[in-house]
Structures are given as structure tokens and as C-alpha cells.
Amino acid sequence: MNNEIVDITIIGGGPTGLFASFYAGMREMSVKLIDSLPQLGGQLIELYPDKYIYDVGGFPKILAKDFVANLVTQAHYSKPEILLGEKAMAISREEDHFVLTTDKGVHLTRTILLTAGIGAFQPRKIGLPEEVQFEQKTLHYGIKDLTLFKDKHVTVCGGGDSAVDWALMLEDIASTVTLIHRRERFTAHETSVNQLMDSKVIVKTSRALKAIEGEEGIIRELVIAEKDGTEERLAVDHLIVNYGNISSLGELKEWGLEMDRNSIQVNSRMETNIEGIYAAGDITNYDGKVKLIAVGLGEAPIAVNHAKAFVDPKARLQPLHSTSVFK
């Protein structure tokens, strides 16, 4: 056990957690950052490093891996102790601090900030018995190298932002791109959908993927069907599936936190129902919550400022900012 008590332990190394680390340093708090993944960046690096993101102020678009690299550089401002591949398990409360137990050790901290996104996640799969033999070869649930699809016939399944964004990014890389969506309407942002309809991407809505045919991990054809049962065959080299993720907060659900389905309920201060524990980003829910990266980046300083006031009641809750005229 490390006997040093840090001011704040951040659980989750995605964008919200990284920015919270930086901001805690601005408030001169000692910081520990813990993530169960082997690298920082959360879903952005695990699933979408080469995908553009669009919902962050100051960046009309930026590759996820570049955005994360900037956040990591910024996060080191606080000189945090960063522990990767370590999973938070349980907490107990001492007189003036928490005892946080992970699968690798015990940590002492005055406050905790939960920024674990959607928690542990795995891609939502198609549900076809034959899909397993093509995974990691020509069936993909995330993309880490766009060059794999150069001059190939690619089919993307899904109707959300990730599916539409991938289809648009592959438009000038792949030989052909076909987007299949089970419903008639898309859930992606309107601008992205309009760009899709004006692109070279072949769009097939109200169709379901019925079968994958091929051998030795190589997909040859897809069988898709309309609602009336009419089937169509598509020749394809690679299949990308974006049906979302199945997530779980795991042991966090046993901490006694007030939950709203798979999210942690917080107030306007990003406080949970347990004094000294805060949460920010996609892991949270409150009235009017919108789950965007930009929102999580705004919630992080709110949580950190209130954690600072909790640790040091004499500290300003509302600090001066970088554009303040009077210091």
C-alpha cells in the first residue's frame, strides 16, 4: 500500500479524466490517475484512433489519436501518478480520506473523481453464428489503420455517428463503400447525414444483415434483406460494424452510488450521493445531460473545483481563469 494520501484520484483516463488531471494541477492538487485499459484515451484510442471527432471547441475536426495526444501532454501539467491496466474494485472511508482498493493495490485519497466513460465496454456484435471466424481479419468493430481498406470493397453497418463518419472517411480510400442501416432514419448528426447523402457512399436503409459468406476469415459476400424478405448479395472485402457498445460499470455499482440505469446520478456540482466522490463525463446523468466530449470537458473543472473546496475549505471555489484581467 502506498501510504501517501493524494488530494484527488481520477478513475478513467479518457478525455474527461485527462482534462480533469490537468485542471487539478491548475488548482495545485496532487493527482493520481487510474485506468483499466493499457493506454490512455479511453474509447477514442481503443476503438477509433484514426476517426475524426467534431464536437470539441476550437477543432472543426481532429483525429482522435491527435486529440488524445494533446490531452495527455496537457494532463502531465499536474505531474500525476498514472497507473494503467489497473481496475478500481472497492472503497472504504477513513476519518479524512478514502481507501481505494484496486486489483493491484491499495491507494489513499482525499477525494475521488469518476470519469470512466461508459465503463468497461465491448462492441455490440451482429448475432450471426458465423461472425466469429471473420473477427480480427475482415470483420471489424473498430478501426486502427485506415490503410487496411485502401482500394477494397468495404461495407459499414450502423446508423449512428461512428458508422456515418467511418463511411465518409473511407470514401476516398476504399474502392467502394456501402452503408447498411436497419432503419430508415439515421441517428447521426444531421450535418453528417446530409454529407453522406451527397457522397459517393452507397446507402441502403431498412435492410438487415442476414449472413456472412467466405472462408478462412476472408469475407466474400454478404446477404442482406429488406423488410419484405427480399434478399440481396453484396461482394465485399471488409465489413465494419458499428452497433454501439455493451457497457458495464462493474464493481462501481457496489459502492453505494445513486444510479440511473448504467449512469451515476450527480448534482450541478458533479457531486454523487457519497460526500467526497464526484463524477463527470459520460458516466454521469442529470436532468438535461448531453453526452458529448465537449460536455465532459466542461464538467471536469466543475468537479475539480468542488473537490478542491472539499479538501481545502479556505480555497476559492471560483478561481481566477487564464483570461482574468485582475490576478
Side-chain angles (χ1 to χ4, degrees):
M1 181 175 71
N2 186 341
N3 290 322
E4 179 187 2
I5 304 175
V6 298
D7 291 327
I8 187 167
T9 296
I10 300 167
I11 299 175
T16 301
L18 288 169
F19 189 61
S21 174
F22 160 73
Y23 196 83
M26 293 283 286
R27 297 305 314 266
E28 296 189 344
M29 301 178 78
S30 54
V31 181
K32 186 174 290 188
L33 179 60
I34 299 175
D35 197 289
S36 60
L37 293 174
Q39 71 283 317
L40 295 168
Q43 284 191 72
L44 292 185
I45 295 301
E46 187 72 8
L47 298 177
Y48 314 119
D50 281 322
K51 178 181 174 297
Y52 283 115
I53 56 177
Y54 304 91
D55 63 346
V56 181
F59 297 100
K61 67 176 183 179
I62 184 171
L63 287 175
K65 62 185 179 183
D66 294 338
F67 180 60
V68 168
N70 290 342
L71 284 167
V72 170
T73 298
Q74 189 180 39
H76 278 92
Y77 178 89
S78 65
K79 298 180 174 60
E81 180 182 356
I82 297 176
L83 303 171
L84 299 176
E86 189 160 345
K87 184 179 179 182
M89 303 294 289
I91 57 166
S92 61
R93 186 68 185 263
E94 300 293 336
E95 183 176 343
D96 62 348
H97 64 273
F98 291 98
V99 178
L100 169 65
T101 302
T102 71
D103 59 351
K104 293 185 177 180
V106 177
H107 308 276
L108 308 181
T109 183
R110 294 182 177 87
T111 61
I112 294 173
L113 173 55
L114 301 172
T115 58
I118 61 174
F121 59 87
Q122 59 181 6
R124 191 179 302 278
K125 299 190 177 184
I126 306 165
L128 298 174
E130 68 270 24
E131 66 186 291
V132 177
Q133 63 179 295
F134 301 106
E135 292 175 356
Q136 308 302 321
K137 296 177 182 177
T138 54
L139 169 57
H140 316 272
Y141 296 100
I143 301 176
K144 296 188 177 182
D145 183 6
L146 284 171
T147 61
L148 180 66
F149 308 98
K150 183 174 176 58
D151 300 327
K152 302 294 185 180
H153 298 288
V154 181
T155 294
V156 181
C157 290
D161 283 303
S162 293
V164 173
D165 289 348
W166 277 129
L168 290 171
M169 289 186 69
L170 289 166
E171 179 185 6
D172 295 325
I173 296 173
S175 177
T176 62
V177 181
T178 302
L179 179 62
I180 299 172
H181 184 33
R182 292 172 289 187
R183 298 179 177 85
E184 183 177 349
R185 296 176 63 86
F186 291 90
T187 57
H189 283 82
E190 294 86 346
T191 299
S192 298
V193 175
N194 290 336
Q195 290 175 355
L196 176 71
M197 295 308 175
D198 290 335
S199 72
K200 296 181 294 184
V201 176
I202 302 166
V203 179
K204 295 179 180 289
T205 57
S206 300
R207 290 170 170 86
L209 182 58
K210 289 296 185 180
I212 306 172
E213 296 182 358
E215 64 283 328
E216 297 181 355
I218 307 301
I219 299 174
R220 302 298 182 191
E221 284 191 324
L222 303 178
V223 179
I224 62 174
E226 298 184 42
K227 291 182 178 180
D228 63 5
T230 303
E231 292 188 350
E232 177 183 358
R233 289 179 173 269
L234 296 178
V236 64
D237 298 312
H238 290 274
L239 173 63
I240 301 168
V241 177
N242 289 121
Y243 288 161
N245 296 295
I246 301 171
S247 62
S248 172
L249 296 184
E251 283 73 10
L252 294 184
K253 286 189 172 181
E254 309 303 319
W255 287 17
L257 296 162
E258 183 181 348
M259 307 293 298
D260 181 3
R261 288 177 289 184
N262 207 41
S263 299
I264 297 171
Q265 195 72 28
V266 295
N267 60 21
S268 61
R269 300 179 179 87
M270 298 295 117
E271 296 169 329
T272 70
N273 60 303
I274 300 177
E275 188 178 43
I277 298 182
Y278 304 80
D282 284 355
I283 199 171
T284 67
N285 189 51
Y286 50 81
D287 186 34
K289 170 75 177 187
V290 177
K291 295 193 175 185
L292 292 173
I293 293 173
V295 173
L297 297 181
E299 292 169 350
I302 297 173
V304 169
N305 280 329
H306 286 279
K308 173 67 174 181
F310 180 82
V311 170
D312 179 8
K314 296 180 180 179
R316 289 180 178 178
L317 176 61
Q318 180 65 53
L320 294 176
H321 49 79
S322 56
T323 56
S324 294
V325 176
F326 301 104
K327 300 290 186 178

